[in-house]
Amino acid sequence: MLLNQMKYFVAVVEHNSFTEAAAASFISQSAISQQIQSLEEELGVELLHRKHRSFQLTPAGEHFYRQSKLLLADITKLKRETIQIGESEESQLKIGYLRVYGGLELHEAVAVFSERYPEISLSIINGTHEELYHELRQKSVDIVLSDQRRAFSEDYMNVELVRSEMYAELSIRNPLSRQTELTLTELKDIPCILIATKEQQAIEEDYYKHTLGFRGNFLFAESLDEGRLLVAGNRGFLPIESVGTLPQPVGTIRRIPLVKDQAAITRKYCAFWQKKRSNYYIEEFAELLKELLIKE
């Protein structure tokens, strides 16, 4: 069975005409008719029931049409991915993740992926949500692990990985650290520590204040480690999310669940990448990351 025969058959069905299918395929009508006839002879079943100048799909033909569409799409994708890899001097997968992310699953996913695909060079950056979104639009990264802050776009693959609960990390010197849960109202007089570069501070503050409902003053740190040093010094509290396995903080810091209306505050974390740049390795990494997060 030739690949072209499948293409010709799909064209005939979708144009509902041998003449139009032949024109679209840039061959003669007699040639496309002969190819379909050869296909039926090879399979030993009738795919098209012909009646005068019209035809109807047989049950076998309907099945063959649906499966051919899927196979042809897979072949087109395979061809595109192979060309992308072949045109690159060194095949790379560029990954971005949130600067505030502290889970272990990303590290494990990188290790497993590198072992499975040693021919792929990995490069990794971190940033705020908006920084990662910019990098994704500029094609500086292939895939990002980030929280959802806007409606899903049809131009991107938006794979939900996990719904994570929010916590507040507090110094054990703060009286609130003795509680088993905290509300944002109880934290309103304590500075909220956010992880952001100077350029992103206003954006992060606006999101936490007006979207998530955090109150009071804000302090900023450029890394998770720096933020936790501020917490250890009892300068404020650090909002953090349990995306997968989050290691316990040092003994001078307590992590306490955040609640609203007696229910845990949760956030959605996703893998995002541009649909038109999708390939096997991006999809494989996203699936691997999702498996690891769900497992935990």
Side-chain angles (χ1 to χ4, degrees):
M1 185 191 307
L2 297 176
L3 179 62
N4 279 341
Q5 289 178 326
M6 296 175 65
K7 292 180 179 178
Y8 295 149
F9 181 78
V10 169
V12 168
V13 174
E14 293 188 341
H15 285 87
N16 197 32
S17 166
F18 279 85
T19 302
E20 292 182 15
S25 303
F26 302 102
I27 63 172
S28 67
Q29 180 178 341
S30 60
I32 202 169
S33 296
Q34 290 173 3
Q35 289 294 328
I36 301 301
Q37 185 176 353
S38 297
L39 177 61
E40 290 179 317
E41 290 174 355
E42 181 178 345
L43 294 172
V45 295
E46 184 182 43
L47 301 175
L48 299 174
H49 182 68
R50 298 160 181 82
K51 187 175 182 181
H52 302 300
R53 293 188 177 182
S54 63
F55 64 82
Q56 285 185 328
L57 279 171
T58 65
E62 180 68 37
H63 173 76
F64 188 80
Y65 167 71
R66 290 198 305 269
Q67 296 303 312
S68 294
K69 287 275 289 182
L70 296 174
L71 287 171
L72 290 172
D74 286 342
I75 291 169
T76 299
K77 180 182 176 184
L78 173 61
K79 180 180 177 181
R80 182 181 68 248
E81 292 174 351
T82 303
I83 292 172
Q84 287 177 347
I85 293 172
E87 288 179 343
S88 175
E89 291 185 7
E90 181 181 20
S91 298
Q92 284 193 341
L93 180 65
K94 292 169 283 188
I95 303 164
Y97 70 96
L98 279 180
R99 187 173 281 120
V100 73
Y101 172 76
L104 302 177
E105 283 72 20
L106 177 60
H107 299 79
E108 187 176 353
V110 168
V112 173
F113 185 90
S114 296
E115 184 177 0
R116 288 183 186 175
Y117 308 103
E119 73 277 12
I120 303 299
S121 174
L122 298 181
S123 61
I124 305 172
I125 66 168
N126 63 34
T128 64
H129 175 94
E130 293 302 319
E131 287 173 330
L132 293 176
Y133 179 57
H134 174 76
E135 297 290 342
L136 201 56
R137 286 190 301 171
Q138 296 301 313
K139 303 177 183 177
S140 304
V141 293
D142 299 309
I143 180 173
V144 300
L145 164 62
S146 187
D147 52 345
Q148 183 191 3
R149 296 193 181 183
R150 45 173 59 87
F152 287 150
S153 167
E154 293 185 356
D155 295 329
Y156 291 83
M157 295 298 297
N158 313 284
V159 178
E160 183 177 336
L161 300 174
V162 66
R163 288 183 179 269
S164 61
E165 295 183 357
M166 291 194 73
Y167 294 82
E169 291 190 351
L170 280 164
S171 167
I172 58 173
R173 289 188 285 153
N174 190 305
L176 291 177
S177 67
R178 303 185 185 95
Q179 297 188 192
T180 57
E181 60 183 31
L182 289 168
T183 66
L184 298 185
T185 301
E186 290 173 308
L187 292 167
K188 65 181 177 62
D189 295 324
I190 304 173
C192 175
I193 301 167
L194 300 180
I195 311 301
T197 59
K198 290 182 180 179
E199 296 78 12
Q200 294 292 313
Q201 288 178 3
I203 295 174
E204 288 297 291
E205 179 176 336
D206 181 77
Y207 178 74
Y208 274 82
K209 182 182 292 184
H210 297 112
T211 302
L212 298 183
F214 283 71
R215 306 180 187 180
N217 298 323
F218 291 86
L219 298 177
F220 296 92
E222 293 206 358
S223 70
L224 190 56
D225 287 339
E226 183 183 340
R228 283 182 170 143
L229 286 174
L230 291 174
V231 173
N234 200 23
R235 297 282 305 280
F237 75 93
L238 177 70
I240 197 162
E241 287 139 20
S242 59
V243 186
T245 304
L246 188 62
Q248 287 297 320
V250 296
T252 56
I253 296 175
R254 281 207 58 202
R255 183 180 298 147
I256 304 168
L258 289 176
V259 298
K260 182 178 181 180
D261 299 327
Q262 299 182 327
I265 299 176
T266 61
R267 303 276 309 288
K268 184 185 294 185
Y269 273 73
C270 304
F272 301 100
W273 67 93
Q274 291 189 24
K275 281 185 178 179
K276 62 183 179 183
R277 300 187 70 225
S278 186
N279 63 44
Y280 173 80
Y281 294 113
I282 293 175
E283 294 169 7
E284 182 76 355
F285 187 82
E287 185 60 30
L288 175 60
L289 189 56
K290 184 174 184 177
E291 288 176 4
L292 292 169
L293 287 168
I294 291 176
K295 182 179 68 174
E296 297 300 332

